[in-house]
Every structure is written in C-alpha cells, then in structure tokens.
Amino acid sequence: MPLLEVDALCKSYDGSAGAATLAIENISFNVERGEFVALVGPSGCGKTTLLMCIAGLAAPSGGRVAVKSQLVDRPPPDLVLVFQEYNRSLFAWRSVLGNVLFGLEAKGRGGKAADERARRLIGLVGLEGFERHYPWQLSGGMQQRVAIARALAYEPEVLLMDEPFGSVDAMTRLELEDALLAIWKELGTTILLVTHDIEEAIYLSDRVHVLARRPSRVVETVAIPLPRPRHQVTTRAEPSFMELRNRIYRRIADAG
Amino acid sequence: MRPSKISGFVALLAVVAAWELVARAGLVNPLLFPAMSKILASFLALLASGEIPAQIARSMERAAAGYFLAATVCIPLGVAMGLSERVYRALEVVVETLRPVPPPVVIPVAMLFLGIGDGMKIFVIFFSCAWPILLNTIDGVRNIDGLLVDTARTFGLARGRTILKVVLPAAAPQIMTGLRISLSITLILVVISEMIGSTDGIGYFILNAQRRLKVDQMYAGMIALALLGYILNQAFLFVSKRLLRGR
Ligand SMILES: Nc1ncnc2c1ncn2[C@@H]1O[C@H](COP(=O)(O)OP(=O)(O)O)[C@@H](O)[C@H]1O
Ligand SMILES: [Mg+2]
C-alpha cells in the first residue's frame, strides 16, 4: 500500500469573470513509504496547487488524495508542507528560533529537548548565530532556510517541499541538498519535492515525475537508479546522470 | 531628548510665558484669565491637598471599567467577526447602525435607564470605546495573510490554538491601534459624562470650579487633565511596545 496516493486529481479555480482556471486536469501517481520523489515541470503546470491539495489546504475539484489510506479532506497529521512563498509563511513576530520551535510547540513538545533540536536544525541549514534574529532581518535565502528548518524540526512522516531552494545561492544549495538527504536517511521521512532544477531532482530522488501543462498530467516517471550515498561531484559526473538529465529535459521540451 | 522634543518643549514654555505676559499686562479681564503663575500655584496646591488626585482617581475608576469592558467584549467579538463570514453577516447591520451614533447622544438614554451613577458613565465609555476596538480587530484579523493560517494548519494546530498563536499575534498591531484610539476617546467621554451628571470626578471638578468662579481652579483641572492624557498615552506606548515584542 503506497503511503501517498494521488488519483485522477483535478482542480480548477473560480475565475473572477466566471471563467474557471483549470490548474490541474488529471494527475495520478503514488509515493511509497520512505521514498524520495521529485516533481519537475514548467511553471504554471499546477505543482503548487497539487501540493496544496495533498496537504489538505485546498479541496480538489475531482479525484482523490489519500495519505496512509486515509482520504485527505483536512490537513493530515504528520505531513508538513514547505511553502513556495516561504517568506509569507514565516511568523514576523517570532525570532528564527521561535519560528523553528513553532512546529515543536504545535506537537506539544517544549523545554530543553525541543530547544536543542531547534538549534541543531538551525545549525544544519547554516544559520547558526542567527537564532535571535527576526525574519525581516534576513535575506530571502536565509528566510527560506528558516522555513526548511522549521519543517524538519517537526519530524513529519511525510514532507512536501515546494521549490525549497529557489532563493538560496548555488553553494548553499548544494549543502542544503546534502543536509536534506542526511535527514531523510536518518529519520526515514517520505519526501515529495517540487523543483524546476532537473539536475537537483535527479541528484536527490528515487523517482522523478515529469509533469506537463495543458492538460497538466504526469507524462513520464523516470526511475533514478544512481547509487547512494550520492556525492555532489562524482554522482553528477556519472554518464548515467547525464543520460537521465537529457532524457528528462527532452521530455519536458516535447511536452511544452 | 530628541531635538524635536526639545523644540516642542521650548514652544510650550513660550505659550506659558505669553499667557503670563498677557495676563499681567491686564489685556484680558483677570477674573476670566488669571496669570499662569497663579494657575500653577493653584494646581500645585490642589495636588498637594490631594483634591486633584482624588478626583482623577474617581474618573479613572470609571474610565478603566468602561475601557477594559470594551476590550474584553470587542476583541473576542472582532476576532469572531473577522474569521467567520457568517458571524460578520449576522452582526454587520447592528454594527453599522449603532456605530455612527455620536457617543454623547447615548448619555441621555443611558441616564434614563441607569440614572446618573457610575453605571451610566461606564456604559457611555464602553459604548464609545467599543467601535475603534471592534472595527480594528475585525480589519486586522481579515487582513492576516492566509498563508500564516495555512502554515499553522499544516503543522497540525487546532483552531483554538491557531487563534491564540497565529491570528491574535498577527493582528496585534492593528488591535493595538484600536485600543489606542479608544484610550483618548475614554478620556473625552468620562469628562463629558461627569459634567452632565456627577458629584465627583475631574470633569465635575472643572465644571464646578467654573460655576463657583474659581477660574484658577478650573484651569488647574484642565492642566491635570492634559497631563493625565499625556501620561496615559506614554504608558500605553510603553506597554504596547512590550506586548508586541513578546507576542
Ligand atoms: N488561487 C488561485 N486562483 C486562481 N488561479 C490560480 C490560483 N493559484 C494558481 N492558479 C492558476 O493555476 C495554474 C497553476 O498554478 P500553480 O499551481 O501555482 O503552478 P506551478 O506551481 O506549477 O507554477 C496557473 O495557471 C495559475 O495561474
Ligand atoms: Mg509553484
């Protein structure tokens, strides 16, 4: 039984002039327990909408989403979404530490253990020394890392990430990718990550779903048989990495 | 002190000095316009005798009761109206009908039902303070970024805790604005209601001094009131700064 099932999902938004926008026409795929799956696709193909439906924050217009065989009609417990608009999701009145502690407080975990866990994750995303800063005192990339640390500190069973490294610089990005892989391995989290960076999708995941627009659907699922642990230099230099890259790239270009 | 504050202080001194000169030159009837030195002496005497502190204490009791009653009722109500379209619709007409009523107009009605005791004054203050607090709370809650609430939901926060941990802190700056506007309204209404029907309080004291032609005492009461307003506002800013920081 897959941990996450998306079955013939359809979602349209009511337009202001009566015309509805069809954000997702028909998307189906599964994610197995402990799997790392990446979604790639052109912008506007409905990736954010898809994650909002899976997270129980938007109601599908058709089809169904299930987590652990439970129909998603509200935010499922133990599933956390890292929003694409990370800056709007941070609490301006909480410090970096306060923001990262938020999820732990929500879980009813407090005290020294929670504090230590939050500080460890702040360190892991490279923000040590910024615990007492407020979100508006940080750069976009740093804010994005706070949002990631907050989600990781929660230790969800399922982690959905919407272009989580979009605003961080290239060097930090590589470090964060490896940090994410380390946590994934340590906690056995199931991860569904949206990215527009094809190489990032290949480097991180077990499978890549390629999405296309109009109608938005999964056009191809590419298994990534690259050995783990992966390494930023050697993995990316492997011939099979290049082949996978080219194949996915061509698929996206064809699908338009 | 900031330079702008210093120049403001200088301007105040200039007004006081001009007052003194005009009064001493006998340009205006001294019975109606005593010298500032005489007023200040009277103010200090009333302060020392405990007369002014006692009157202000009476006024503050009424003001605090009405003000905190308004906050206790209107913040929860505003949150409910801001969050729920249904609650908002149900109460919108009532709010829009009552809100434009100028608060002093309520005094005769309140006297009819509550007499001229403290109940009347507290009700009048409550009625006039309610609107800025209510409307600012509704507005503050409605303008919260929906993504903040989504964030709370994805972390599994229940609705009640979402209100406490996300909605209230996010709307706090605007709720504070409402509370601050109401604070100055409170002062106005307590004085008016005391002038209309009372036997004590700073409003009564000022009117009574005028009636007995103790003009210097009347002005002394006004100075006390001005100082009180200033102190209250400063105290509010102090408290609100700490509250907003510790959200
Ligand atoms: N809240 C909304 N209301 C109306 N249309 C929306 C809304 N959110 C997204 N859309 C539309 O749905 C489509 C998919 O958007 P989105 O899910 O954000 O795509 P992606 O994340 O892949 O870039 C776009 O055409 C977008 O304009
Ligand atoms: Mg998106």
Side-chain angles (χ1 to χ4, degrees):
Chain A
M1 184 57 77
L3 190 69
L4 169 66
E5 301 159 77
V6 178
D7 187 17
L9 189 76
C10 165
K11 172 74 184 172
S12 59
Y13 290 105
D14 299 329
S16 48
T21 313
L22 195 54
I24 300 175
E25 189 147 336
N26 186 344
I27 289 185
S28 301
F29 65 87
N30 291 332
V31 179
E32 302 296 330
R33 181 178 290 280
E35 205 180 11
F36 198 134
V37 171
L39 291 168
V40 294
S43 68
C45 76
K47 303 183 294 294
T48 295
T49 304
L50 173 63
L51 292 193
M52 292 293 277
C53 289
I54 297 173
L57 299 171
S61 315
R64 63 187 277 278
V65 177
V67 173
K68 290 196 274 185
S69 304
Q70 284 278 311
L71 183 74
V72 171
D73 55 2
R74 70 194 65 188
D78 294 319
L79 177 148
V80 162
L81 167 60
V82 178
F83 296 90
Q84 181 172 16
E85 292 178 88
Y86 56 88
N87 51 340
R88 286 175 46 212
S89 86
L90 294 180
F91 303 113
W93 59 91
R94 282 176 172 247
S95 64
V96 168
L97 183 62
N99 267 282
V100 176
L101 279 170
F102 180 84
L104 293 163
E105 287 170 22
K107 254 187 171 175
R109 295 195 5 204
K112 217 171 145 62
D115 205 70
E116 269 166 19
R117 165 127 200 104
R119 284 175 193 278
R120 199 194 129 207
L121 278 144
I122 290 168
L124 196 78
V125 298
L127 288 179
E128 208 175 326
F130 290 93
E131 290 85 354
R132 300 258 151 247
H133 284 60
Y134 283 83
W136 48 270
Q137 296 171 311
L138 306 176
S139 72
M142 292 161 91
Q143 292 176 356
Q144 195 159 32
R145 285 184 267 159
V146 176
I148 293 169
R150 182 173 62 185
L152 293 176
Y154 188 77
E155 296 182 22
E157 257 182 275
V158 187
L159 180 60
L160 311 178
M161 306 180 92
D162 198 351
E163 306 198 16
F165 309 131
S167 294
V168 297
D169 59 275
M171 274 311 297
T172 312
R173 186 172 186 138
L174 301 185
E175 284 167 20
L176 288 178
E177 287 170 3
D178 288 334
L180 181 61
L181 285 179
I183 291 249
W184 172 66
K185 189 163 171 248
E186 178 192 322
L187 300 178
T189 316
T190 305
I191 300 183
L192 178 62
L193 175 135
V194 163
T195 174
H196 50 236
D197 183 333
I198 297 169
E199 295 192 15
E200 178 172 275
I202 298 169
Y203 179 73
L204 291 173
S205 65
D206 300 317
R207 282 192 297 155
V208 177
H209 293 305
V210 181
L211 300 181
R213 187 164 39 181
R214 285 192 201 92
S216 46
R217 65 205 187 279
V218 178
V219 285
E220 188 169 351
T221 299
V222 181
I224 310 295
L226 296 167
R228 294 186 188 268
R230 292 177 184 170
H231 186 272
Q232 290 289 3
V233 177
T234 52
T235 301
R236 286 176 190 262
E238 278 185 35
S240 55
F241 189 96
M242 299 299 183
E243 275 165 35
L244 288 164
R245 196 197 85 97
N246 294 342
R247 183 169 147 209
I248 293 171
Y249 182 79
R250 235 177 267 121
R251 207 68 186 85
I252 291 178
D254 290 349
Chain B
M1 255 193 266
R2 280 182 287 118
S4 64
K5 244 190 181 166
I6 292 172
S7 61
F9 204 64
V10 169
L12 183 65
L13 277 179
V15 170
V16 170
W19 181 305
E20 184 75 14
L21 284 176
V22 169
R24 291 205 174 201
L27 295 176
V28 191
N29 182 350
L31 231 54
L32 309 182
F33 200 77
M36 188 50 93
S37 50
K38 200 175 162 213
I39 296 171
L40 287 176
S42 167
F43 172 70
L44 290 176
L46 287 165
L47 207 57
S49 76
E51 172 77 8
I52 277 187
Q55 301 292 9
I56 283 186
R58 282 298 288 134
S59 300
M60 289 301 289
E61 281 169 24
R62 295 162 180 150
Y67 182 75
F68 288 115
L69 189 63
T72 312
V73 171
C74 293
I75 294 174
L77 190 63
V79 170
M81 288 178 75
L83 286 177
S84 157
E85 194 59 32
R86 258 180 49 207
V87 176
Y88 183 81
R89 289 242 187 79
L91 296 174
E92 187 184 11
V93 178
V94 178
V95 170
E96 289 307 316
T97 316
L98 288 179
R99 186 174 65 96
V101 175
V105 171
V106 181
I107 296 178
V109 184
M111 282 169 83
L112 214 55
F113 282 91
L114 300 165
I116 61 163
D118 282 356
M120 177 274 278
K121 298 174 190 78
I122 291 169
F123 176 79
V124 169
I125 292 164
F126 165 79
F127 179 85
S128 44
C129 282
W131 309 115
I133 301 175
L134 183 67
L135 296 179
N136 275 286
T137 304
I138 294 173
D139 214 44
V141 168
R142 284 193 155 188
N143 286 330
I144 292 173
D145 192 330
L147 208 63
L148 291 177
V149 176
D150 279 349
T151 303
R153 295 183 67 204
T154 198
F155 281 103
L157 219 61
R159 197 157 166 79
R161 289 184 75 207
T162 302
I163 290 173
L164 283 181
K165 283 191 166 261
V166 177
V167 173
L168 278 175
Q174 205 171 339
I175 295 174
M176 283 296 170
T177 301
L179 285 170
R180 193 173 167 200
I181 296 169
S182 286
L183 187 64
S184 55
I185 294 178
T186 300
L187 219 50
I188 297 170
L189 265 297
V190 73
V191 169
I192 293 181
S193 64
E194 284 171 355
M195 284 180 167
I196 288 181
S198 185
T199 52
D200 56 8
I202 191 72
Y204 163 80
F205 175 84
I206 291 173
L207 191 70
N208 194 41
Q210 185 254 1
R211 282 184 180 144
R212 293 184 300 127
L213 268 182
K214 302 259 188 201
V215 178
D216 53 328
Q217 292 196 1
M218 178 191 82
Y219 286 116
M222 288 168 65
I223 290 176
L225 209 48
L227 278 176
L228 177 66
Y230 179 80
I231 291 168
L232 282 180
N233 198 41
Q234 291 300 310
F236 184 90
L237 290 180
F238 179 78
V239 172
S240 105
K241 228 187 211 162
R242 311 204 126 208
L243 267 175
L244 289 183
R245 204 181 318 126
R247 271 185 282 177

